[in-house]
Amino acid sequence: MIKENQYVKIKWMGNNRKYYENCNYIFTRFGDEFTVSVSDLPKHSRVKIKVICDNCLNPYDLSYAQSVRAENHICSKDCKYLFGKEKFDCYICGTETFKNNTQIKKSTFGHHFCSIECVGKFNSMRYDETKITKLCLICDKEFRSKLSTIETQITCSRKCQGIWQSTFRIGENSSNYRGGKIEKCCQVCRDIYYVTRHSSLLSKFCSQKCKQIHWSENVITKESFKVAKYQGNLKVRQTSRETLPEKLVREWLSENNISFKQECGFFRKYYADFYLHNTNIVIEVFGDYWHCNPKVYGNGLLPPSNSQLEQTERDRLRIEKFKKHNFNVIVLWENEIYSNLEKLMQNRIMTIYPRNDYTQSI
C-alpha cells in the first residue's frame, strides 16, 4: 500500500518539463528542485517513495514504477513467507507454524504440523490406535497387528516367521511346491538319486566323482574334444599379453628380418613361442621362476615348489614331442635375454639359421 499524502523532490529536466507543466507545475530553471505530489508522478518514474508492507505494516522505500506494478507490497523475504498465512501450533510439539489457505484445506484431520517428523509421529500414533494385540505362535510374546494383516500375521518378528516357515511350510506345504524332487538313475554307478524338477533335464550323475569318471572315459578321449580344447587354448594364447622376454625376442627377430610365427600350434596339443618359417627351428622363451631355471632352483640352490616341478615335467614332455618330429628346440632363459640379447641370439640362433646376410654387431 502506498503511503498517502506523500511529496517528493524532482529536478526540472528536458524530458519531464512538458509533463509537469501539463500538471500545472510552474517551470523555473533546468536543474532546480520542486515538490511534486506522489499522485502526479508518471507510471514509469524511478523516484523512491514510502510504501507500507502488507504483512508487517512497516514503511520501506520502493520506486514508484515498482509500487504501481506490484499487486502486493512486501518488504523482505520473511514477510513474503508469512504473507497470506495463518499461524498455528504444531499438533505434536507445539512449535509455531504458518500455513496458507491451500495447506489448511488439505489437512485431513484438521491438525497442522511443523515438519515431516511430526507428521510421521502423528501417523504412527493414529495407526497404533487401530492395531490389535495378538500372541506370537513361536515365542508366545504379545505384538500389535494392523487390521489389514490381523488374519495372516501370526508371528512377532522376521526371526519367528523364519522358524515357523522352516517348521510348517516345507514339502507339500511350501508356497512354491512343484511336485517334489525327481528320481533319476546315475549313468555311471547306476544308483538312484533325487534332483529338483528344474534341474532334472540336465542332471545325469549322482556325484562329481561319477561325472569325472564319465568324462575321463567318454569325453576327454574323443578327437573332437581334443580339437575344440586345442582351438580354444590357441585363441586364448594369441589374444593374451606377451611377457617382456618374449617382446624382446620378437623385436630382435623383426629387426633382423627373420620370418616367424608367434604362438604357433603343433600336433593339436602343444604351442611354440616362436616358429621360424621354412625351418625346423622352434624357440621357447622360459621365465626363470615359472619354468624353474636350473641355475637358480635345485642343486643346492633355492628349493623348487610343487607347481614348478609340475611345469618342468610338462616342459620336458613338450620338448621331447618336438624333437621326436625332428624339430630343433632352442630354449632361451629370462636372465640370459636380459644379460646380452644380441650375443645370445648370435650364438644360439644365427649359428643354425640358414641365412648368410646376418651381420654381427656386438
Side-chain angles (χ1 to χ4, degrees):
M1 180 175 62
I2 299 175
K3 192 174 182 180
E4 297 179 353
N5 301 323
Q6 284 191 72
Y7 294 90
V8 293
K9 295 288 186 179
I10 302 294
K11 289 184 179 182
W12 286 107
M13 293 183 293
N15 59 355
N16 65 9
R17 176 181 175 179
K18 185 177 180 180
Y19 173 80
Y20 286 113
E21 284 183 341
N22 291 334
C23 294
N24 300 322
Y25 289 93
I26 300 173
F27 173 74
T28 57
R29 188 175 56 181
F30 288 118
D32 289 348
E33 289 186 347
F34 63 102
T35 303
V36 178
S37 175
V38 170
S39 59
D40 292 334
L41 291 174
K43 291 183 179 180
H44 61 272
S45 176
R46 297 182 181 178
V47 176
K48 296 290 185 179
I49 64 171
K50 291 293 181 180
V51 179
I52 304 299
C53 177
D54 292 338
N55 183 68
C56 63
L57 303 180
N58 292 325
Y60 69 100
D61 294 334
L62 187 68
S63 69
Y64 182 74
Q66 290 178 317
S67 66
V68 173
R69 291 197 303 267
E71 294 181 3
N72 301 304
H73 299 120
I74 308 298
C75 64
S76 63
K77 290 184 178 180
D78 294 335
C79 287
K80 183 178 180 180
Y81 172 76
L82 299 175
F83 180 71
K85 294 183 177 179
E86 294 184 31
K87 184 174 72 172
F88 296 94
D89 291 334
C90 179
Y91 184 77
I92 298 297
C93 63
T95 304
E96 287 187 355
T97 182
F98 297 88
K99 304 293 180 181
N100 57 32
N101 293 330
T102 303
Q103 292 172 322
I104 294 173
K105 292 178 181 179
K106 283 185 177 180
S107 179
T108 306
F109 299 97
H111 305 308
H112 304 284
F113 309 94
C114 63
S115 63
I116 296 178
E117 288 77 9
C118 289
V119 174
K121 291 179 181 179
F122 172 76
N123 288 333
S124 63
M125 292 167 52
R126 183 170 61 87
Y127 293 146
D128 191 65
E129 292 175 356
T130 60
K131 290 183 179 180
I132 298 176
T133 303
K134 295 188 66 176
L135 198 65
C136 179
L137 293 181
I138 301 299
C139 64
D140 294 332
K141 188 183 295 184
E142 290 186 351
F143 67 96
R144 304 277 289 174
S145 175
K146 295 184 295 185
L147 290 176
S148 59
T149 60
I150 188 172
E151 295 182 358
T152 57
Q153 188 176 2
I154 56 177
T155 56
C156 63
S157 62
R158 288 181 179 270
K159 182 179 179 181
C160 290
Q161 181 185 1
I163 296 173
W164 182 84
Q165 288 182 341
S166 63
T167 305
F168 301 101
R169 298 300 298 274
I170 58 176
E172 296 181 358
N173 295 325
S174 176
S175 58
N176 60 349
Y177 180 71
R178 297 293 184 272
K181 292 187 176 181
I182 304 298
E183 179 181 303
K184 299 204 69 174
C185 181
C186 179
Q187 293 186 2
V188 175
C189 64
R190 314 307 298 175
D191 288 345
I192 301 299
Y193 68 101
Y194 298 89
V195 294
T196 56
R197 186 173 297 273
H198 73 272
S199 61
S200 60
L201 296 178
L202 299 178
S203 180
K204 298 178 181 179
F205 312 102
C206 64
S207 63
Q208 190 69 21
K209 181 179 179 181
C210 289
K211 181 179 180 180
Q212 292 176 351
I213 293 173
H214 173 78
W215 271 66
S216 62
E217 295 177 355
N218 301 282
V219 179
I220 299 177
T221 55
K222 287 185 178 180
E223 189 65 23
S224 59
F225 177 82
K226 294 180 180 179
V227 173
K229 181 181 178 181
Y230 164 79
Q231 292 176 347
N233 291 337
L234 181 61
K235 184 177 181 180
V236 172
R237 290 175 67 93
Q238 290 177 344
T239 56
S240 61
R241 186 177 179 181
E242 63 182 356
T243 62
L244 179 58
E246 290 175 346
K247 179 182 178 182
L248 295 175
V249 173
R250 173 178 58 79
E251 291 176 349
W252 188 93
L253 294 174
S254 300
E255 291 173 357
N256 290 274
N257 298 322
I258 297 178
S259 179
F260 66 90
K261 184 177 181 181
Q262 194 170 2
E263 298 295 345
C264 183
F266 291 92
F267 323 124
R268 290 187 178 179
K269 186 175 182 180
Y270 296 121
Y271 310 90
D273 291 334
F274 297 94
Y275 167 66
L276 307 188
H277 289 162
N278 302 322
T279 69
N280 66 338
I281 300 175
V282 170
I283 301 175
E284 289 288 316
V285 180
F286 283 178
D288 292 339
Y289 175 79
W290 297 110
H291 294 269
C292 192
N293 190 340
K295 295 182 180 180
V296 182
Y297 300 92
N299 298 326
L301 301 175
L302 296 175
S305 63
N306 293 333
S307 61
Q308 287 177 311
L309 294 176
E310 293 175 358
Q311 183 61 45
T312 302
E313 180 63 19
R314 289 193 291 268
D315 292 339
R316 185 186 66 81
L317 296 175
R318 184 170 72 257
I319 292 175
E320 286 183 356
K321 184 73 172 180
F322 277 111
K323 290 182 177 180
K324 183 179 179 180
H325 289 80
N326 298 322
F327 281 95
N328 191 350
V329 182
I330 300 174
V331 177
L332 304 179
W333 289 98
E334 179 182 358
N335 62 348
E336 297 175 337
I337 295 172
Y338 290 153
S339 299
N340 194 333
L341 178 61
E342 184 67 31
K343 182 177 180 180
L344 176 66
M345 300 301 285
Q346 175 190 347
N347 295 335
R348 303 293 303 280
I349 305 298
M350 301 314 298
T351 54
I352 61 175
Y353 186 70
R355 212 179 80 186
N356 299 324
D357 59 345
Y358 174 73
T359 303
Q360 296 184 6
S361 57
I362 300 178

